[in-house]
Amino acid sequence: MATIKQVSELAGVSLATVSRVINNTDQVKPGTKAKVEDAMKTLGYRPNFIAQSLASNKSNTVGYVVPELHGSFFGDLLSGTERLLKQANKHLFIAAGHSNEVDEVKAIESLLSRRCDALILHLEAVSNDYLVQLAKDNVDFVVVNRFIAEISERCVTLDNVKGGYIATQALIDNGHKSIAYITGSLWKADAEDRFTGHKAALQEAGIALRPELVFEGDFQADSGYKGMSQLLNSGETITAVCCGNDEMAYGAAEAIREKGLRIPDDISLVGFDDIEFSRFLQPKLSTVKYPMRDIGETAAKMILQKIYNKDFSVKHHIFDPVMISRNSIKTL
Amino acid sequence: MATIKQVSELAGVSLATVSRVINNTDQVKPGTKAKVEDAMKTLGYRPNFIAQSLASNKSNTVGYVVPELHGSFFGDLLSGTERLLKQANKHLFIAAGHSNEVDEVKAIESLLSRRCDALILHLEAVSNDYLVQLAKDNVDFVVVNRFIAEISERCVTLDNVKGGYIATQALIDNGHKSIAYITGSLWKADAEDRFTGHKAALQEAGIALRPELVFEGDFQADSGYKGMSQLLNSGETITAVCCGNDEMAYGAAEAIREKGLRIPDDISLVGFDDIEFSRFLQPKLSTVKYPMRDIGETAAKMILQKIYNKDFSVKHHIFDPVMISRNSIKTL
DNA sequence: CTGAAAGCGCTAACAC
DNA sequence: GTGTTAGCGCTTTCAG
């Protein structure tokens, strides 16, 4: 692999000059510039990013910790971020936190030791305190899908409480009173928030929360299936079920069908997130939209603005959920 | 950010010794080791990955070019790779190729300039020749989802031709003769291969290919919808439709339902890939399994073995497709 | 507009 | 076991 030194020798100029043309940083006489470019071409020179980073003390890359690499939810979130960053010639280094504290911290450390210029953190297990401390340690980062009061200006998220509220509201508005709820893992802040919204909506409507209609799932389709089956077998009257996310709603739908029941005629169903496939579910799933693309892009803009001094004015840090009404809710 | 030098001063030892304890590379007397570790802790020392890479000339990271970050297909593929690599303490740097040659080449160059120890390439636009040349240039890489004869030992893929064949075969076995086909973008090798398999199955069964029953989509759900609508409106007799991937099958299903037709009673449907959601489609989609996890893991193993000298014996480079029979095919 | 030279933080011989 | 030292490939003053 050719080095800058070889290029400089071939071109008959100094190292510094080659560096200048690589980075377009200073004026270089057109003639010398051409010589350097020729030399680079004939040598197949490619800048050593590692060396550049070490010398300049910046890596032009932002680190991103995601819970998992798979799943359409995270992919969509990442996608928006990547697009904007690429436009600005910044790179994205992705690491998975696997929803546990050890891996999450490891991922952060690893990104830091790579000297990422900034981080985007989509964490589930790590404590708020850890993040507040990280901010005090002068690490530049943005938190996605989580709101932490002490560092609110670094957070981009959906108002999950309100989301849980409007999902349940949609059911109540249609005359439902016996509403079951399948939560995500309740130790996760977003799952808890959504459930909190659900409870608020019930209370506001004067409907008592019945613990026997609540099942704690884990955001996976299988848990929705299991929860719904259990709920259905419990003998309780249920006219509608609200799920902590769409995937669990898929599983719930499956359980409902297996029981020989119909959606929404026998049971109404509502999800959360509006992931890509929800419009293909039969009947089409009514759900709360999680604006993944917007959130991903906002995170990118915040960093582009703050760290790379690009001219972005970020409008929303906390997005408002929107109910997507399709065909899975019956009016009673 | 603390440096190795500060650690060495605080611990009262030399740089080399600190380096030794960081990398566990040479014997260090327990006493000194403890002193060094204390110093690291009190300084909050974190190795500078960039500097390590430059000095040692290896980065312990493998680069991965994916077509897109979103979509459950790629996510699942990545996921298996990441798991194995993480186990071996290697990192994954992901870059998106966005299905166009410019971005794909840029992504590769960027990974190379980061001095990735090896690459995993999931490319769509770049030519075979380019990759053959890359191999000659001594770049270590593995190609995913594509077979190139000249560098066959570097390829991990599914036999897409056979996949297209068995999908159509499943339809033929059930008595279908009027089979429509919605392809992925035909300039993509996998789309073409699947279609080739389709044609082979037809021919073998003595069924003439009718061009008016073929629609070229682009692997997106919308194109499946559009293709199916068009096919349905053409007035041709169609008893079954075979799609180049599951997402297009979702769109096709939608079009079929909108026409007031039923799956599989009026029209049988088969997909390709068996992405996660396909079991939730109504009726459950019969499809060809694309073993994303296996393929992702195999790619990782090949690299772990070849580049990092880990002890993996990779069994399959070309996976055999398997038909997943669910409920979207009717026996005529 | 161009060159010389001092690092960036670390590894890897090579001595002791 | 431990220290010394020469780079890794590049950026960045500072001169000129």
Side-chain angles (χ1 to χ4, degrees):
Chain A
M1 194 99 297
T3 72
I4 205 179
K5 181 135 176 270
Q6 301 172 35
V7 173
S8 77
E9 283 165 358
L10 212 181
V13 299
S14 73
L15 290 186
T17 300
V18 177
S19 174
R20 285 182 187 109
V21 350
I22 291 172
N23 300 295
N24 231 318
T25 174
D26 268 313
Q27 289 290 315
V28 177
K29 207 201 296 180
T32 20
K33 187 168 178 183
K35 277 194 301 188
V36 172
E37 281 167 345
D38 280 355
M40 297 202 303
K41 188 144 289 174
T42 80
L43 287 173
Y45 172 75
R46 187 179 294 137
N48 183 323
F49 174 87
I50 297 285
Q52 291 182 124
S53 298
L54 183 61
S56 68
N57 195 34
K58 53 205 201 53
S59 62
N60 279 315
T61 114
V62 354
Y64 199 136
V65 181
V66 255
E68 298 293 345
L69 258 17
H70 58 259
S72 63
F73 187 84
F74 310 125
D76 284 351
L77 223 34
L78 278 170
S79 218
T81 305
E82 193 256 358
R83 226 194 70 246
L84 282 191
L85 251 27
K86 165 172 288 184
Q87 264 174 32
N89 246 307
K90 305 302 172 195
H91 300 128
L92 193 58
F93 193 103
I94 302 167
H98 299 302
S99 300
N100 72 75
E101 188 166 359
V102 174
D103 281 357
E104 286 183 352
V105 171
K106 254 196 218 160
I108 294 173
E109 301 265 313
S110 139
L111 295 175
L112 254 22
S113 89
R114 267 169 203 273
R115 299 301 187 262
C116 287
D117 299 330
L119 306 184
I120 298 178
L121 304 176
H122 189 156
L123 270 11
E124 303 194 308
V126 140
S127 71
N128 283 0
D129 288 350
Y130 176 92
L131 290 169
V132 171
Q133 184 57 48
L134 204 61
K136 285 191 188 131
D137 292 347
N138 264 322
V139 175
D140 285 304
F141 66 90
V142 163
V143 174
V144 156
N145 194 38
R146 182 155 159 178
F147 182 79
I148 301 172
E150 297 93 318
I151 49 172
S152 62
E153 74 292 349
R154 296 171 181 249
C155 302
V156 208
T157 183
L158 177 74
D159 186 335
N160 280 302
V161 176
K162 194 182 281 187
Y165 178 88
I166 65 173
T168 302
Q169 189 65 47
L171 257 9
I172 294 172
D173 284 349
N174 280 285
H176 291 273
K177 289 187 165 33
S178 305
I179 305 173
Y181 195 91
I182 300 179
T183 73
S185 314
L186 285 177
W187 61 268
K188 298 188 183 178
D190 51 355
E192 195 196 358
D193 286 350
R194 291 170 185 193
F195 185 44
T196 299
H198 168 72
K199 289 184 289 192
L202 286 187
Q203 182 163 33
E204 200 182 293
I207 303 173
L209 175 78
R210 295 168 53 203
E212 62 274 25
L213 295 193
V214 176
F215 179 90
E216 180 177 348
D218 61 6
F219 278 144
Q220 309 284 321
D222 287 344
S223 75
Y225 176 84
K226 192 176 157 215
M228 196 68 232
S229 303
Q230 198 162 308
L231 255 10
L232 254 19
N233 288 332
S234 70
E236 303 289 341
T237 301
I238 297 174
T239 66
V241 56
C242 200
C243 295
N245 73 352
D246 285 359
E247 313 212 4
M248 292 195 297
Y250 300 164
E254 174 90 6
I256 293 170
R257 281 192 295 259
E258 274 190 12
K259 259 300 203 197
L261 267 19
R262 297 182 55 88
I263 307 169
D265 307 276
D266 300 311
I267 294 206
S268 292
L269 179 64
V270 27
F272 202 119
D273 283 345
D274 191 29
I275 60 178
E276 206 197 333
F277 299 128
S278 295
R279 61 193 175 111
F280 295 114
L281 198 72
Q282 237 1 45
K284 292 178 185 155
L285 186 65
S286 293
T287 188
V288 175
K289 174 148 192 63
Y290 191 105
M292 307 150 201
R293 188 145 206 112
D294 288 342
I295 289 188
E297 289 181 353
T298 300
K301 286 180 188 168
M302 287 166 70
I303 285 182
L304 251 14
Q305 179 182 268
K306 185 166 169 208
I307 311 302
Y308 297 120
N309 305 312
K310 302 283 177 184
D311 192 26
F312 278 108
S313 55
V314 178
K315 291 186 293 288
H316 301 289
H317 280 210
I318 300 194
F319 286 79
D320 239 29
V322 174
M323 185 72 204
I324 306 289
S325 296
R326 290 198 274 245
N327 313 321
S328 64
I329 301 180
K330 179 189 179 188
T331 305
L332 249 36
Chain B
M1 193 102 294
T3 73
I4 204 179
K5 182 135 175 270
Q6 300 172 36
V7 174
S8 76
E9 284 165 358
L10 211 182
V13 299
S14 73
L15 290 185
T17 300
V18 178
S19 175
R20 286 182 186 109
V21 351
I22 291 173
N23 299 294
N24 231 318
T25 174
D26 266 313
Q27 290 290 315
V28 177
K29 207 200 296 180
T32 23
K33 187 169 177 180
K35 276 194 303 188
V36 172
E37 281 167 344
D38 280 356
M40 297 203 304
K41 187 144 292 173
T42 79
L43 287 172
Y45 173 76
R46 188 179 294 138
N48 182 324
F49 175 87
I50 298 285
Q52 290 181 123
S53 297
L54 184 61
S56 67
N57 196 34
K58 54 207 199 59
S59 62
N60 279 315
T61 115
V62 353
Y64 199 137
V65 181
V66 257
E68 298 293 345
L69 258 18
H70 58 259
S72 63
F73 186 84
F74 308 126
D76 285 352
L77 224 33
L78 279 170
S79 218
T81 305
E82 193 256 358
R83 228 194 69 247
L84 283 191
L85 251 27
K86 164 172 287 183
Q87 265 174 32
N89 246 306
K90 305 302 172 193
H91 300 129
L92 195 56
F93 193 103
I94 302 168
H98 299 303
S99 301
N100 73 76
E101 187 165 0
V102 174
D103 281 358
E104 286 184 353
V105 170
K106 254 197 218 159
I108 294 173
E109 301 264 313
S110 139
L111 295 175
L112 254 22
S113 89
R114 269 169 202 273
R115 299 301 187 263
C116 287
D117 299 330
L119 305 183
I120 298 178
L121 304 176
H122 189 156
L123 270 12
E124 301 193 309
V126 140
S127 71
N128 283 1
D129 288 349
Y130 176 91
L131 290 170
V132 171
Q133 184 57 47
L134 203 61
K136 287 192 186 129
D137 292 347
N138 264 323
V139 176
D140 286 305
F141 66 90
V142 163
V143 175
V144 157
N145 194 37
R146 182 155 161 180
F147 182 79
I148 301 173
E150 296 93 318
I151 50 173
S152 62
E153 74 291 351
R154 295 170 181 250
C155 303
V156 208
T157 182
L158 177 73
D159 186 335
N160 280 303
V161 176
K162 193 182 279 186
Y165 178 88
I166 66 173
T168 302
Q169 188 66 48
L171 257 8
I172 293 173
D173 284 350
N174 280 285
H176 292 273
K177 290 188 165 32
S178 305
I179 306 174
Y181 194 91
I182 299 178
T183 73
S185 316
L186 284 177
W187 61 267
K188 297 187 183 178
D190 52 356
E192 195 195 358
D193 286 350
R194 291 169 185 193
F195 185 43
T196 298
H198 168 73
K199 289 184 289 192
L202 286 186
Q203 182 163 34
E204 199 182 296
I207 302 173
L209 175 79
R210 294 168 52 204
E212 61 275 24
L213 294 193
V214 176
F215 179 90
E216 180 175 348
D218 61 5
F219 278 144
Q220 309 284 323
D222 287 343
S223 74
Y225 176 83
K226 192 174 155 213
M228 196 67 231
S229 302
Q230 199 161 309
L231 254 10
L232 253 19
N233 288 331
S234 71
E236 303 287 341
T237 303
I238 297 173
T239 65
V241 56
C242 200
C243 294
N245 73 351
D246 284 359
E247 313 212 4
M248 292 194 298
Y250 301 163
E254 174 89 5
I256 292 170
R257 281 191 295 259
E258 275 192 10
K259 258 301 204 197
L261 267 21
R262 295 182 57 89
I263 306 169
D265 308 275
D266 300 310
I267 294 206
S268 291
L269 179 64
V270 27
F272 201 120
D273 283 344
D274 192 28
I275 60 178
E276 205 198 336
F277 180 67
S278 294
R279 61 194 174 109
F280 296 112
L281 198 72
Q282 221 27 20
K284 292 177 185 157
L285 186 65
S286 293
T287 188
V288 175
K289 175 151 191 59
Y290 191 105
M292 307 150 201
R293 189 146 205 111
D294 288 342
I295 289 187
E297 289 181 354
T298 301
K301 286 180 188 168
M302 287 167 69
I303 285 182
L304 252 14
Q305 179 182 266
K306 185 166 169 208
I307 311 302
Y308 297 119
N309 305 312
K310 302 283 177 182
D311 192 26
F312 278 110
S313 54
V314 178
K315 291 185 294 288
H316 301 289
H317 280 209
I318 300 195
F319 287 78
D320 240 29
V322 174
M323 184 73 206
I324 307 289
S325 295
R326 290 197 273 245
N327 313 322
S328 65
I329 300 180
K330 179 188 180 188
T331 305
L332 251 34

